[in-house]
Amino acid sequence: REPKWLCCTKMTSDETLSSIASRCCKRVYIGTAVLPKPLFLHEHQDHKGIPCATISTVDQNQIPDPAATPTNELPQYTQTILSEFNSIVIEHHLKWGPLVHTLPGPISQSSPPTMHLGKYDFSHVDAMVDFAIHHNLHIKGHVLIWHVTSPPFLEDMSPTQVREAVKRHIFTTMNYFKGRIKMWDVVNESLAADGTLVENVFYRKMGPDYIEQCFRWAHEADPDAFLIYNDNKVEGCGAIETNDGGSCSSSDRHNKAPIQAKSDGFYNLLKDLVEKGVPVHGAGMQAHFSAGGTKHQRPPTPAMVKRQIRRIGELGLKVNMSEMDVRISKLPASADEELKSTAQTQIYQDILSAALSEPSFDGIWLWGFADRHTWVKNFYYDDAPLILDEKYQRKESYVGVQNALKTLCPGGRVGEMMGGESTQCFLEQDVDENGNAWGEGWMQPEPKEDGNGEKSGDSTKEGQPDWLLPDTN
């Protein structure tokens, strides 16, 4: 029997996300990842988005002057950003590889990729940043150092050359946007599933202290910038059985988070950086969730998320959900559209309500906002993971984000989840007094082990991205 609180609470409102965020009792960034082609070009309404918009490019003569274009003449994608969000993050085009080697590539569509370290093409990012500044949007730069999107010629360099190239890249990029981009994801996804460092090109060429060095260089390049470490599958922390409250060992926990070792590694990495006096100011938890996920893809509970944010906040850092989306297509075939919507809405609303209840939490960044343009379709499978549908219409999950933000507004109840006051217990625990688990009704049981344990090694140790892991759901 489904618990009563599983039913969606339909609190409709014409108010936009940014207007609700402006009424919150603390500053909350409500942001989205942006792409240049739908930002600057009108789409055909009968087409389901721009093919592979993540890496799409725009001819420079097609980019409008933001100061000369009335808002009502902008593409629907763009008008939606201006009405719903107070912040943007550059989804793809500011990564190192796209700036110097791959799409969009220097310097024109007809020129081949460059192997010259000093040759950058900032044109697409320039246009997006200028647009955001003109419309008073906050901007987050993503990302300075990530092995997955770094230029391949780093592998052919000596350790000394790589070190010089990394420093040059950080200084070149941050100085170019100094005063325009004021917060940066400095290093991304340096952790393997076991919580240790990925043995990527930076680890192999520069050593395990490369993260510390990158943050120090970033601070030197722009002492006023807010610097963030960002990672995936680190959003939850299981309950601690021991009484000292200080242990981060997985063996000390019950109701462990989906990848407890990685969550602990995330916390311990940040703790180590803080104790060394490294200029790190924030932590980004990506929040790419799958409602039908099991094992490493299983969604954490609100209580797990709250515990993780709390202990990171106690280090003196700010915390944000940096790339949030919620996949639903891997729920069982028996799940109807209503159940899929309920699951997606509950994850958005309850996870964000729990996060916002922590003083250190300051931002919700969605990895896109309309199902028309989502990286999931290019890198995973067909899905509808965002809060607006293909036609930019609000989904129930949009209302879930609205409701989460309203918990910090006058008259709201901090931490209130889908279902109201009766669900308040899920801020601290995963099961209510009646034995109902959070997510009951859609959360999938873990598959039975075949008795052979894990047959393959940890491919994340070599830096394989999440979307290429086996049994991804």
Side-chain angles (χ1 to χ4, degrees):
R1 186 170 60 89
E2 293 183 357
K4 270 195 313 186
W5 50 261
L6 188 59
C7 302
C8 284
T9 304
K10 298 187 177 182
M11 296 174 59
T12 58
S13 169
D14 291 334
E15 209 172 1
T16 65
L17 300 180
S18 60
S19 64
I20 298 172
S22 70
R23 297 192 291 109
C24 288
C25 61
K26 64 179 180 181
R27 183 175 70 177
V28 177
Y29 296 108
I30 178 69
T32 181
V34 296
L35 302 166
K37 201 158 191 173
L39 185 70
F40 297 123
L41 302 182
H42 287 272
E43 308 170 59
H44 296 294
Q45 292 305 308
D46 59 348
H47 192 281
K48 290 191 175 183
I50 296 168
C52 213
T54 298
I55 58 173
S56 63
T57 59
V58 181
D59 291 336
Q60 294 307 296
N61 60 8
Q62 294 180 294
I63 297 177
D65 178 359
T69 308
T71 300
N72 62 0
E73 294 181 11
L74 294 170
Q76 188 173 7
Y77 176 96
T78 313
Q79 291 188 44
T80 304
I81 290 172
L82 295 180
S83 66
E84 295 290 349
F85 300 99
N86 62 29
S87 311
I88 65 163
V89 55
I90 311 300
E91 180 169 329
H92 176 73
H93 293 69
L94 191 48
K95 294 165 182 171
W96 193 355
L99 287 175
V100 303
H101 186 264
T102 57
L103 286 170
I107 279 297
S108 70
Q109 299 279 349
S110 60
S111 65
T114 182
M115 296 297 285
H116 301 293
L117 290 174
K119 192 175 182 183
Y120 281 69
D121 182 359
F122 289 118
S123 58
H124 285 81
V125 184
D126 258 335
M128 289 187 278
V129 169
D130 288 347
F131 164 84
I133 291 173
H134 177 76
H135 291 286
N136 299 311
L137 297 172
H138 300 284
I139 308 161
K140 179 165 65 172
H142 177 84
V143 55
L144 293 169
I145 300 298
W146 183 28
H147 60 279
V148 174
T149 55
S150 293
F153 49 69
L154 293 174
E155 291 286 0
D156 300 324
M157 292 179 166
S158 70
T160 299
Q161 289 173 323
V162 169
R163 189 177 183 87
E164 291 173 351
V166 169
K167 181 178 182 180
R168 185 186 302 114
H169 171 64
I170 290 172
F171 272 77
T172 298
T173 306
M174 292 190 71
N175 275 308
Y176 186 86
F177 291 103
K178 194 171 186 177
R180 293 195 289 163
I181 298 180
K182 299 178 182 180
M183 66 182 96
W184 289 89
D185 289 334
V186 178
V187 179
N188 188 48
E189 294 185 16
S190 74
L191 294 173
D194 65 359
T196 62
L197 293 179
V198 171
E199 295 173 1
N200 58 37
V201 63
F202 305 112
Y203 179 95
R204 289 184 277 106
K205 301 280 188 174
M206 296 174 61
D209 68 342
Y210 80 90
I211 300 170
E212 173 185 344
Q213 189 59 70
C214 288
F215 274 91
R216 293 193 187 278
W217 283 332
H219 183 65
E220 187 179 349
D222 186 353
D224 296 324
F226 188 88
L227 307 179
I228 302 166
Y229 175 75
N230 192 55
D231 218 315
N232 189 27
K233 299 292 183 290
V234 295
E235 299 84 5
C237 175
I240 301 175
E241 286 183 334
T242 54
N243 293 323
D244 60 15
S247 173
C248 290
S249 169
S250 294
S251 62
D252 292 335
R253 299 187 183 280
H254 61 88
N255 293 333
K256 293 178 183 177
I259 308 184
Q260 184 66 54
K262 190 172 185 181
S263 293
D264 289 339
F266 183 65
Y267 170 79
N268 289 328
L269 171 61
L270 293 165
K271 183 172 183 286
D272 182 63
L273 293 174
V274 169
E275 290 177 347
K276 288 180 177 178
V278 176
V280 57
H281 310 122
M285 308 193 305
Q286 290 182 14
H288 292 299
F289 297 134
S290 174
T294 58
K295 296 183 177 179
H296 66 278
Q297 295 284 1
R298 190 177 187 82
T301 67
M304 292 175 182
V305 171
K306 183 175 174 67
R307 279 191 291 270
Q308 181 74 328
I309 295 172
R310 179 185 296 163
R311 64 171 174 168
I312 294 171
E314 288 170 351
L315 298 175
L317 302 177
K318 293 293 186 181
V319 185
N320 69 84
M321 293 289 183
S322 58
E323 306 180 18
M324 192 171 188
D325 49 31
V326 181
R327 306 191 297 277
I328 53 175
S329 65
K330 293 302 179 179
L331 284 166
S334 59
D336 59 21
E337 292 305 312
E338 183 178 0
L339 182 60
K340 289 180 180 179
S341 178
T342 296
Q344 186 176 69
T345 303
Q346 189 174 18
I347 292 173
Y348 271 112
Q349 180 168 337
D350 292 4
I351 294 291
L352 291 177
S353 292
L356 287 161
S357 71
E358 284 297 314
S360 62
F361 187 81
D362 70 350
I364 302 163
W365 303 79
L366 307 180
W367 216 237
F369 55 92
D371 294 332
R372 193 178 181 90
H373 299 296
T374 168
W375 76 295
V376 170
K377 293 180 180 179
N378 300 130
F379 290 85
Y380 281 96
Y381 34 68
D382 190 38
D383 209 302
L386 299 172
I387 61 173
L388 303 182
D389 67 15
E390 297 270 1
K391 297 181 179 179
Y392 297 101
Q393 298 302 302
R394 295 176 177 183
K395 297 162 55 176
E396 285 298 324
S397 52
Y398 175 95
V399 179
V401 178
Q402 275 188 325
N403 291 341
L405 288 168
K406 288 177 180 178
T407 64
L408 294 190
C409 292
R413 185 191 298 270
V414 174
E416 185 169 77
M417 301 184 191
M418 199 166 81
E421 188 174 355
S422 64
T423 62
Q424 203 79 0
C425 63
F426 291 123
L427 275 178
E428 302 294 342
Q429 59 198 51
D430 299 336
V431 180
D432 68 16
E433 61 183 10
N434 297 317
N436 297 314
W438 181 83
E440 193 169 312
W442 56 263
M443 187 81 81
Q444 297 304 294
E446 292 292 359
K448 293 181 179 179
E449 297 292 340
D450 59 9
N452 297 321
E454 295 292 334
K455 294 182 178 180
S456 60
D458 180 10
S459 59
T460 64
K461 192 67 178 173
E462 286 72 48
Q464 189 176 28
D466 183 74
W467 61 85
L468 295 179
L469 294 179
D471 299 321
T472 291
N473 57 10

